[in-house]
Amino acid sequence: MLLQIPDILTEAELRQARDLLSQADWVDGRSTAGPQAASAKHNQQLPADAEPALTLQRLVLAALDRQPLYFSAALPRNVLPPMFNRYDGTGDHYGIHVDQAIRRLPGGAGRLRADLSCTLFLSDPASYDGGELVVDDLFGSRSYKLPAGHLLLYPAGSVHQVLPVARGQRLASFFWIESMIRSGEQRRLLFDFDLQLMRLRDQLGETPETIALAGTYHNLLRQWADA
């Protein structure tokens, strides 16, 4: 499932993020890539333990917490703290690759199974040329260059790439989610069920029928979830 979720960050939060990132000290993005990805990765990254990164991690995680569509689609069990990268208009890019399946949580907190990848766009798309995120799925390749503050959620096992940036600067946050629902098919069924249930509630309010459907949703979640 590929899903665009708009307006994760407000305009004020975007300004704060850009201000912090404009003053940050960046490092070569290959320093955090695995052997396969390192040869394809040409960008800069903010060190995860730098103060701007820690401040922005809190900002992004708090913004996600207030987004019901994000929770319904991802059903997150664990979230790797968001990281931040920069692609400059000198041809920076990230060639075709697949994300690692298992990621280490910071502070020795264990490991995370990467079920979903997330890219949160931070730059106005008109401010840079190129830099599209291209994700392959069953229907072919799809290209994404979303407005600032919008999020793309997609399967972590997808083959994907970031095309070269020819002008300007592409800033983004990226992170991975371990879902309570390991199966992508089950996660999609629950998401579709929840969307339709929310629409019925908007139209009808809390009726015996919508309450019964909510019970069915939660019984499926109870059966499939690893919480």
Side-chain angles (χ1 to χ4, degrees), residues 6 73 88 137 140 152 190:
D88 282 333
D137 65 12
L152 183 69
L190 286 168

Side-chain angles (χ1 to χ4, degrees), residues 125-202:
S127 69
Y128 63 99
D129 293 334
E132 292 86 354
L133 173 60
V134 180
V135 182
D136 293 348
D137 65 12
L138 293 175
F139 304 100
S141 296
R142 303 189 191 187
S143 178
Y144 299 91
K145 188 174 180 179
L146 302 187
H150 290 214
L151 177 80
L152 183 69
L153 184 73
Y154 58 99
S158 302
V159 175
H160 59 285
Q161 61 179 309
V162 176
L163 298 182
V165 174
R167 176 189 65 87
Q169 196 174 82
R170 177 193 189 271
L171 298 170
S173 175
F174 63 101
F175 54 98
W176 292 272
I177 298 169
E178 180 180 23
S179 178
M180 291 185 285
I181 307 297
R182 184 169 187 163
S183 164
E185 292 180 356
Q186 291 175 342
R187 200 182 314 120
R188 178 58 187 260
L189 285 170
L190 286 168
F191 178 59
D192 290 343
F193 193 144
D194 197 27
L195 276 185
Q196 299 307 319
L197 181 56
M198 286 189 284
R199 288 168 181 162
L200 282 174
R201 280 174 159 161
D202 287 342

Side-chain angles (χ1 to χ4, degrees), residues 12 22 64-65 79 84 94-95 97 105 107 111 123 132 162 175 214:
S22 70
L64 292 171
D65 279 346
V79 179
F84 302 86
Y94 200 157
H97 66 285
L105 292 166
R111 292 177 173 83
S123 297
E132 292 86 354
V162 176
F175 54 98

